[in-house]
Amino acid sequence: MSRARADEEEYWHSSKFRAFTFDDEDDELSQLKESKRAVNSLRDIVDDDDDDDLERVSWSGEPVGSISWSIKETASSNTSSLEGRDSSIQKGSSSYAALPKQASSYSLSSLFKGRNKLPSFQSLSDAFSDTGVKNYAPELRRPKAEYKDYSSDWSPKDTVRRMQRGKVCSLERFRSLQDKLMLLDEAVAGHDGNVITAVLIFLKRTLRREILFRELEVRQVALCHLIHFLKETGEQKLLLDLLRFLDRTEEVALSQYREHLNIQDVEKRKEFLKGCIGLPFSAEDTSHIQDHYTLLERQIIIEANDRHLETAGQSEIFRKYPRKASILNMPLVTTLFYSCFYHYTEAEGTFSSPTNLKKTFKIPDKQYVLTALAARAKLRAWDDVDALFTTKNWLGYTKKKAPIGFHRVVEILQRNNAPVQVLQEYVRLVEDVETRLNLATKYKCHDVVIETYRDLKDRIQLTAYKCKVERGSAEEEKINSILNN
Amino acid sequence: MAAHLSSGRVNLTALREAGRRELREFLDKCAGSKAIVWDEYLTGPFGLIAQYSLLKEHEVEKMFTLKPGRLPQADVKNIIFFVRPKLELMDIITDNVLREDRGRSPQRDFHILFVPRRSLLCEQWLKEQGVLGSFIHREQYSLDLIPFDGDLLSMESESAFKECYLESDQTSLYHAAKGLMTLQALYGTIPQIFGKGECARHVANMMIRMKREFPGSQNSIFPVFDTLLLLDRNVDLLTPLATQLTYEGLIDEIYGIQNTYVKLPPEKFAPKKQGEGGKDLPTEPKKLQLNSAEELYAEIRDKNFNAVGSVLSKKAKIISAAFEERHHAKTVGEIKQFVSQLPHMQAARSSLANHTSIAELIKDITTSEDFFDNLTVEQEFMSGIDTDKVNNYIEDCIAQKHPLIKILRLVCLQSVCNSGLKQKVLDYYKREILQTYGYEHILTLNNLEKAGLLKPQTSGRNNYPTIRKTLRLWMDDVNEQNPNDISYVYSGYAPLSVRLAQLLARPGWRSIEEVLKMLPGPHFEERQQLPTGLQKKRQHGENRVTLVFFLGGVTYAEIAALRFLSQMEDGGTEYVIATTKLINGTTWMKSLMEKLEPVPF
């Protein structure tokens, strides 16, 4: 599979491509050490009273006097008094929260209406003056200057310019479709997304849907802004209508599919995903969505079953290795690992059996073997590992084969702390001699090293290796006997 | 405090000063004592403009972080919200305002300061919640371009790339144009504008339009910048995907630099005094500011990491020698001289200690097997080897469930270096990713496809080799210690974006017309008329100053490459860099990934 390590090194040394290596490894390291030493030795010399940096930095790291540091400082003096007041807060806020509901009943887009009328505000502030609340008598306190703005007859261009400067403008006087579109085009030409969006909100409110869609279709920039705006404000239905109108079917599908993330209940999520299968995705994506649905369906069945087994306490594997988390909403490969861990021996007919998963989702051999190997190695089920790589030919001879390469097998076993006896069996099967020697040396599989040198008839290396094995051990004897022959 | 901003060719202190002035003016509008409620994201960028002391001088007594619930008690007259115009933040503000104790006296006044721009959408949202009227001042603070260093400006707009290239929302481009207008107001009209890419074209158009519409902006300041170069990030999607190999680039790749600060694991920075043996080791990360105010950092930040060790060791020797001199100080005068130098020497020592520790931390990672393997594959792709088939290493990483972002970076890199992947290869990667990391990532893969980062090879032609050869993007004989070409920043790969800037200065883009056509978007040139009398007469040997604006983000390695060009003896051009956001491959990928958790509000 992956290029053998040795090959790689040779490749780098021989090829013209430069890897990011530290050629003078030791030198480089010693340079760092040297500067470290120098730094340390200087500590004794210097009085360390102010041994910190150029700038004062508190340990949390914020420079003293910086804004984020000050937030903590100024806020911390308050916390105690805040807690004491919590109970009274609760009482106060419940009646309080009801108030603004009235406010939302008047036309929301009156933001763009003339402010001199303000009938709803009037009544709202009246309501407040009864209770003596001054804070909610809102617009009355706005600076006078802003009231003047909408009385005059601004052209679309002027209106857009004013809006760009953050001034409030009335858009209501743009009544005809033509005027409205001129306004929109002017806003688009100004490139200020803020203004474009404001105009779009106005058009969305005052134009029939079909007309709005039709006009936006030929105004791509404005269209993008509206789509972004609808996404941001969560107006899913209108968004889907618009995308459908534009024949952007794949986007409709994806946008709808995205919704599943907001559904917490797994049963509902499953049903929702089922509904997504028929959406107009690309062919490739359709199969993924189908798989997503099938997987969740399986997980729900497995989860119910296993939770039962676990609480009943009769299954040994669950007693010995209690589950850390539910399998719901986990990726496919994680699910496969889970099933190789808890349900390895099950017949193919059950939903939770690894072979069933492999078949249903067409998991490639490599992926399957890797996952099964990791799961069985974790359980130290070495016989299963052995079986995973054993194939029988028609004469009944057995043969070892690994679709992922035996060097990978060794790595995974080693990571799961396999004993040397197990490990060396697979090191021996690594085909490339160089890699085999490297792995064997690294993981102290002495027998493999010795046999390999023997086969290579490399006396020098073999002699050198003698110092790596224990004195008086069987390995040393073995080396001696080979050297003597 | 901000001396490093004036160290470069263009004195950026003026820009910072302008920002401070505007802030003071706003604060003074809200008379009386104040508390500021901060959108946490903004504290970093604001910290580069002002310290708490400035706010305090203007009666800011308390500061809080914006969060739902009741505002903390504070006996102040004004509560000011400093926020980005985001709807989810408006919901929090609404909650705060609604829970305000209306029985309290005296009443507190509310204000909002939108950064960088007021948003009609947000105001409408507040109106829908019925709280808009509660705010007396609703203003904007145009913090468009924030000075990060003597030659570096950023808008720190995280979502700019996504908005421009995925959602075709040009708001951040509008802000960029605004920022450039502010710069021109301070540093004079920039006579020459070059650009490459759709967004660059838009920004140039906006600038020209703004200038026409606000004739008052015609100023009589002698131009500091000779040229503006606007570059779209999607002209060069390759560079940010590769692992940066400069010192600063690696710090950013590994630990993430935010608003010039980095947080590091504390172990290597344990307290130094022996007397405090009983004290616990610090568990909070060590936070350091990184900018050119620190002499040593300014010297090593842009070096290839392989060249950093030797500089540090040389510095160590110099400092040791300097401290040794105290033994030779015999006369009172000599001792006095030595003592007067002590503070500077101590600062230098402390700086050296920090960077030695950081270099050790980074070295642990760059010498790891996985870093090497990853880099090997990156360099193969960038030099054009085996880009058209499924890569074993990527396959292995997926099998071992390495972080998804790492996988995406590599797969996208392969796609970009092959002008798109063969359909079969693309489908294979997609399948592996979805099966291993979850099907919902189909949304992210789709985003990457829309941004052009991951796509099927449609034309059936791979243009990358032509681009690579013509622009000399791959250099075999790279010198990391004493570089003679910008390719040192990626140990072999010369960032495409910077190569474009370099070729523009000499011999001009006419020489690479063919390649420019292969890259997305138009390339163009505009001239802005200067009043007579302001036209520059260049002194012999005087360098030109070019402002390079990266729309959609720039990496530290690219900045290093431009600084290298500035310092070339016969270069003839000095560069100032501006961007919408300082990025690296990881933060960039993150900004393009679909948020899989529903936003809680």
Side-chain angles (χ1 to χ4, degrees):
Chain A
M1 237 185 93
S2 82
R3 207 176 324 157
R5 186 98 219 124
D7 279 359
E8 233 165 52
E9 255 144 40
E10 192 194 7
Y11 169 79
W12 282 115
H13 289 270
S14 61
S15 89
K16 53 195 180 128
F17 302 105
R18 178 180 293 261
F20 186 65
T21 51
F22 294 86
D23 283 6
D24 43 357
E25 187 76 41
D26 294 327
D27 188 35
E28 171 77 14
L29 259 178
S30 68
Q31 282 176 340
L32 278 183
K33 277 192 196 121
E34 192 181 331
S35 57
K36 184 116 187 146
R37 235 191 342 267
V39 166
N40 286 332
S41 68
L42 294 175
R43 266 168 212 150
D44 314 331
I45 307 170
V46 187
D47 176 23
D48 254 358
D49 248 354
D50 56 340
D51 66 341
D52 246 322
D53 312 309
L54 305 166
E55 188 181 1
R56 282 214 297 153
V57 176
S58 67
W59 245 108
S60 67
E62 309 294 343
V64 174
S66 80
I67 286 175
S68 40
W69 174 81
S70 317
I71 291 180
K72 282 175 210 138
E73 284 297 293
T74 62
S76 60
S77 55
N78 281 288
T79 42
S80 56
S81 65
L82 187 69
E83 278 160 9
R85 292 183 47 101
D86 245 16
S87 55
S88 60
I89 291 170
Q90 287 302 323
K91 259 186 259 155
S93 61
S94 61
S95 61
Y96 198 20
L99 277 171
K101 290 282 186 285
Q102 306 169 355
S104 57
S105 63
Y106 59 76
S107 159
L108 304 170
S109 39
S110 55
L111 175 64
F112 304 109
K113 282 184 187 157
R115 270 175 208 278
N116 42 0
K117 296 167 196 151
L118 288 178
S120 46
F121 278 127
Q122 203 57 55
S123 61
L124 188 62
S125 55
D126 282 346
F128 279 114
S129 63
D130 285 347
T131 57
V133 178
K134 92 174 196 213
N135 219 14
Y136 270 84
E139 308 295 317
L140 303 178
R141 282 205 275 171
R142 294 197 59 74
K144 279 236 164 62
E146 284 197 23
Y147 289 83
K148 292 181 203 150
D149 287 347
Y150 38 76
S151 50
S152 346
D153 241 8
W154 301 104
S155 70
K157 195 169 193 161
D158 291 329
T159 307
V160 166
R161 250 192 246 176
R162 295 190 64 78
M163 286 167 83
Q164 281 183 344
R165 268 174 270 173
K167 297 268 166 62
V168 180
C169 284
S170 161
L171 302 183
E172 300 293 319
R173 27 165 245 93
F174 297 98
R175 285 174 197 282
S176 72
L177 178 62
Q178 200 192 351
D179 281 355
K180 286 175 186 171
L181 292 175
M182 266 169 68
L183 182 68
L184 181 62
D185 291 340
E186 204 50 57
V188 168
H191 293 284
D192 184 348
N194 186 28
V195 176
I196 298 172
T197 306
V199 173
L200 283 169
I201 295 171
F202 169 65
L203 296 190
K204 178 174 149 256
R205 190 168 52 82
T206 57
L207 286 180
R208 275 222 317 279
R209 213 169 257 197
E210 309 81 75
I211 298 175
L212 178 68
F213 289 177
R214 190 191 67 211
E215 294 300 336
L216 287 183
E217 197 175 6
V218 292
R219 291 171 173 80
Q220 281 300 313
V221 175
L223 180 66
C224 290
H225 277 268
L226 183 66
I227 291 172
H228 182 45
F229 162 73
L230 293 176
K231 273 186 194 159
E232 188 106 328
T233 52
E235 289 179 67
Q236 184 72 4
K237 198 180 162 309
L238 187 59
L239 175 65
L240 292 179
D241 285 347
L242 174 60
L243 292 175
R244 259 184 228 116
F245 172 84
L246 298 167
D247 245 1
R248 283 155 68 163
T249 51
E250 228 183 298
E251 241 173 285
V252 175
L254 282 166
S255 180
Q256 211 151 335
Y257 168 74
R258 181 184 290 112
E259 284 291 288
H260 85 266
L261 294 165
N262 298 322
I263 304 172
Q264 296 305 316
D265 182 275
V266 274
E267 279 295 337
K268 281 186 193 149
R269 188 183 266 211
K270 183 189 81 180
E271 283 313 306
F272 185 88
L273 285 174
K274 194 175 182 181
C276 288
I277 296 170
L279 295 173
F281 291 102
S282 68
E284 186 66 23
D285 286 356
T286 303
S287 80
H288 293 315
I289 305 293
Q290 167 84 54
D291 281 354
H292 191 176
Y293 163 72
T294 315
L295 179 63
L296 185 58
E297 191 188 30
R298 289 293 173 85
Q299 287 173 336
I300 291 172
I301 298 168
I302 297 172
E303 177 68 22
N305 196 29
D306 288 2
R307 198 186 304 131
H308 179 75
L309 279 175
E310 196 175 31
T311 41
Q314 279 166 5
S315 161
E316 202 200 324
I317 180 101
F318 286 108
R319 262 208 318 273
K320 229 168 144 188
Y321 305 97
R323 302 186 309 154
K324 287 191 188 98
S326 119
I327 194 63
L328 296 172
N329 294 318
M330 292 294 168
L332 175 61
V333 170
T334 313
T335 312
L336 179 64
F337 180 88
Y338 176 96
S339 107
C340 286
F341 196 89
Y342 289 110
H343 304 279
Y344 196 59
T345 51
E346 273 170 30
E348 202 188 307
T350 66
F351 280 142
S352 46
S353 91
T355 28
N356 191 312
L357 284 174
K358 179 174 189 264
K359 240 185 186 160
T360 311
F361 295 97
K362 300 194 191 70
I363 298 171
D365 251 0
K366 257 193 225 171
Q367 183 69 270
Y368 178 81
V369 168
L370 270 173
T371 313
L373 171 63
R376 298 326 284 171
K378 195 158 192 117
L379 286 166
R380 312 181 73 76
W382 308 125
D383 289 345
D384 291 340
V385 171
D386 188 61
L388 207 50
F389 302 110
T390 309
T391 50
K392 261 190 193 151
N393 69 8
W394 58 278
L395 282 173
Y397 293 118
T398 61
K399 211 185 145 194
K400 297 277 188 206
K401 238 171 84 180
I404 51 172
F406 279 106
H407 63 285
R408 291 287 308 281
V409 176
V410 171
E411 271 167 32
I412 292 170
L413 289 173
Q414 200 275 333
R415 235 179 292 151
N416 285 289
N417 303 317
V420 175
Q421 296 89 304
V422 175
L423 213 52
Q424 72 179 10
E425 209 176 304
Y426 296 96
V427 174
R428 199 168 272 137
L429 292 167
V430 174
E431 274 190 34
D432 181 75
V433 179
E434 196 93 355
T435 319
R436 193 193 316 149
L437 269 173
N438 277 340
L439 286 171
T441 318
K442 196 161 147 198
Y443 301 134
K444 301 201 166 52
C445 303
H446 300 308
D447 279 349
V448 183
V449 179
I450 296 165
E451 286 160 24
T452 309
Y453 284 137
R454 181 196 61 202
D455 295 346
L456 290 172
K457 302 196 187 330
D458 192 336
R459 289 186 70 90
I460 300 165
Q461 288 290 352
L462 198 55
T463 317
Y465 198 74
K466 230 162 83 168
C467 66
K468 298 243 174 92
V469 300
E470 253 178 75
R471 222 153 243 261
S473 65
E475 286 89 1
E476 195 191 34
E477 234 167 77
K478 195 168 171 182
I479 295 178
N480 285 334
S481 89
I482 294 169
L483 287 173
N484 290 336
N485 283 325
Chain B
M1 194 62 247
H4 60 288
L5 296 180
S6 51
S7 58
R9 176 72 185 274
V10 178
N11 186 351
L12 294 178
T13 320
L15 183 64
R16 185 171 181 269
E17 259 324 305
R20 288 162 74 90
R21 198 183 318 122
E22 205 185 322
L23 185 59
R24 280 194 215 103
E25 278 165 14
F26 172 75
L27 289 172
D28 290 342
K29 265 189 199 166
C30 314
S33 58
K34 318 169 180 49
I36 296 178
V37 183
W38 286 95
D39 168 359
E40 211 162 10
Y41 183 85
L42 289 177
T43 57
F46 260 83
L48 298 169
I49 297 289
Q51 298 290 92
Y52 181 48
S53 56
L54 179 142
L55 302 175
K56 217 168 171 181
E57 280 163 26
H58 295 264
E59 295 181 85
V60 175
E61 289 175 3
K62 301 278 178 196
M63 306 222 278
F64 310 110
T65 312
L66 182 65
K67 51 176 174 258
R70 180 180 270 253
L71 286 171
Q73 287 300 305
D75 252 337
V76 290
K77 186 157 182 314
N78 301 285
I79 302 271
I80 313 176
F81 295 93
F82 278 33
V83 286
R84 286 166 298 161
K86 294 212 178 279
L87 290 184
E88 64 262 29
L89 300 178
M90 296 306 113
D91 286 337
I92 301 177
I93 293 182
T94 303
D95 192 44
N96 285 169
V97 171
L98 291 180
R99 284 168 187 260
E100 176 76 352
D101 182 1
R102 59 196 166 105
R104 66 172 290 139
S105 83
Q107 288 282 322
R108 303 194 284 192
D109 290 343
F110 291 110
H111 315 275
I112 295 188
L113 187 65
F114 287 110
V115 185
R117 296 266 291 144
R118 257 176 94 167
S119 145
L120 296 166
L121 177 58
C122 284
E123 295 188 3
Q124 155 134 354
W125 197 260
L126 290 173
K127 182 148 213 165
E128 287 185 25
Q129 316 298 317
V131 296
L132 185 71
S134 309
F135 299 98
I136 295 175
H137 289 295
R138 300 193 305 266
E139 309 237 343
Q140 65 186 23
Y141 180 64
S142 339
L143 190 64
D144 288 320
L145 283 168
I146 307 157
F148 271 61
D149 217 318
D151 58 356
L152 180 60
L153 303 157
S154 171
M155 292 163 59
E156 283 310 281
S157 161
E158 248 176 336
S159 49
F161 182 85
K162 188 178 181 188
E163 283 168 12
C164 290
Y165 300 100
L166 229 60
E167 287 153 355
S168 308
D169 179 337
Q170 297 170 355
T171 308
S172 53
L173 299 183
Y174 180 75
H175 293 166
K178 279 268 182 197
L180 282 165
M181 295 312 279
T182 310
L183 272 191
Q184 292 191 103
L186 290 167
Y187 302 102
T189 302
I190 306 175
Q192 243 184 340
I193 304 176
F194 290 93
K196 170 72 188 164
E198 289 294 344
C199 294
R201 183 68 264 185
H202 280 310
V203 171
N205 287 349
M206 279 186 255
M207 286 173 70
I208 292 161
R209 185 183 154 113
M210 285 174 188
K211 190 161 184 257
R212 202 174 52 226
E213 289 183 358
F214 302 98
S217 64
Q218 188 63 263
N219 62 42
S220 52
I221 297 169
F222 202 79
V224 176
F225 297 103
D226 298 280
T227 309
L228 166 66
L229 170 59
L230 295 159
L231 280 178
D232 274 35
R233 185 71 271 174
N234 82 336
V235 169
D236 173 14
L237 293 170
L238 195 165
T239 303
L241 293 169
T243 305
Q244 309 171 65
L245 298 177
T246 57
Y247 181 53
E248 188 166 45
L250 276 166
I251 296 177
D252 189 40
E253 294 276 349
I254 297 167
Y255 298 106
I257 301 174
Q258 278 182 333
N259 301 301
T260 72
Y261 286 93
V262 66
K263 284 184 184 161
L264 298 158
E267 299 79 35
K268 295 248 181 189
F269 301 90
K272 298 156 190 169
K273 283 186 211 166
Q274 283 135 358
E276 296 169 17
K279 227 172 160 187
D280 291 320
L281 282 175
T283 47
E284 280 205 43
K286 166 95 168 168
K287 198 167 172 179
L288 284 176
Q289 185 167 29
L290 301 173
N291 62 31
S292 61
E294 190 183 350
E295 203 180 305
L296 175 62
Y297 187 63
E299 187 179 338
I300 58 176
R301 69 196 304 184
D302 300 319
K303 289 193 182 302
N304 184 295
F305 185 62
N306 278 344
V308 167
S310 61
V311 177
L312 288 179
S313 90
K314 246 178 253 155
K315 286 279 158 189
K317 279 178 202 146
I318 292 169
I319 293 178
S320 297
F323 276 102
E324 276 310 300
E325 278 191 8
R326 77 191 190 286
H327 297 303
H328 309 299
K330 295 278 183 325
T331 68
V332 177
E334 280 167 350
I335 291 171
K336 222 174 166 179
Q337 163 98 21
F338 179 80
V339 169
S340 73
Q341 283 171 356
L342 256 182
H344 180 251
M345 286 160 67
Q346 282 172 0
R349 178 195 51 90
S350 151
S351 166
L352 179 66
N354 281 337
H355 290 292
T356 306
S357 299
I358 297 174
E360 280 180 335
L361 284 168
I362 292 177
K363 199 170 169 62
D364 286 345
I365 289 167
T366 54
T367 48
S368 72
E369 199 175 325
D370 192 58
F371 186 88
F372 176 84
D373 290 347
N374 185 67
L375 200 68
T376 306
V377 173
E378 282 183 13
Q379 301 207 334
E380 275 179 18
F381 288 160
M382 290 190 291
S383 53
I385 296 174
D386 288 348
T387 50
D388 58 349
K389 50 187 183 209
V390 171
N391 180 279
N392 281 333
Y393 175 71
I394 297 179
E395 212 182 6
D396 279 3
C397 288
I398 296 175
Q400 292 170 43
K401 232 179 165 184
H402 283 213
L404 177 58
I405 289 189
K406 172 184 174 177
I407 309 294
L408 294 177
R409 269 178 86 160
L410 283 170
V411 175
C412 289
L413 184 70
Q414 184 177 356
S415 171
V416 173
C417 291
N418 198 54
S419 306
L421 295 169
K422 282 191 183 145
Q423 190 68 47
K424 214 177 62 200
V425 176
L426 179 63
D427 289 347
Y428 181 84
Y429 281 137
K430 268 183 155 179
R431 189 168 201 90
E432 291 271 297
I433 289 170
L434 296 178
Q435 290 191 340
T436 307
Y437 297 92
Y439 291 105
E440 60 276 15
H441 292 290
I442 207 168
L443 297 166
T444 293
L445 295 179
N446 229 275
N447 285 350
L448 296 176
E449 210 161 318
K450 254 197 236 166
L453 277 160
L454 185 61
K455 57 176 187 186
Q457 202 185 70
T458 42
S459 60
R461 244 185 77 91
N462 180 3
N463 281 332
Y464 178 70
T466 316
I467 298 171
R468 187 186 72 233
K469 279 175 210 145
T470 316
L471 299 181
R472 291 180 302 123
L473 299 184
W474 187 262
M475 304 296 276
D476 291 329
D477 46 352
V478 57
N479 185 340
E480 290 164 349
Q481 304 290 330
N482 298 299
N484 49 16
D485 180 72
I486 56 170
S487 54
Y488 84 92
V489 298
Y490 286 97
S491 293
Y493 165 74
L496 193 158
S497 56
V498 181
R499 199 59 110 199
L500 288 181
Q502 186 183 15
L503 289 167
L504 176 67
R506 194 181 297 168
W509 274 357
R510 197 155 301 177
S511 60
I512 51 164
E513 283 278 342
E514 285 307 308
V515 166
L516 282 175
K517 274 184 206 149
M518 288 178 186
L519 299 169
H523 57 282
F524 60 88
E525 179 183 353
E526 297 279 353
R527 278 175 194 281
Q528 302 198 90
Q529 277 308 317
L530 291 177
T532 40
L534 289 184
Q535 271 139 16
K536 219 171 184 175
K537 279 239 171 74
R538 198 173 310 286
Q539 303 281 314
H540 181 70
E542 193 193 22
N543 282 341
R544 302 170 57 81
V545 182
T546 296
L547 174 65
V548 188
F549 202 130
F550 290 83
L551 301 163
V554 68
T555 64
Y556 287 100
E558 289 172 296
I559 295 169
L562 281 168
R563 285 186 182 140
F564 171 78
L565 292 179
S566 290
Q567 284 155 14
M568 283 216 317
E569 256 174 45
D570 53 349
T573 307
E574 283 180 57
Y575 294 93
V576 175
I577 301 124
T579 184
T580 50
K581 176 88 177 84
L582 292 161
I583 57 166
N584 60 47
T586 302
T587 57
W588 192 38
M589 277 291 138
K590 250 188 209 156
S591 79
L592 288 169
M593 285 174 82
E594 198 71 30
K595 305 230 168 3
L596 296 177
E597 298 295 317
V599 194
F601 54 71

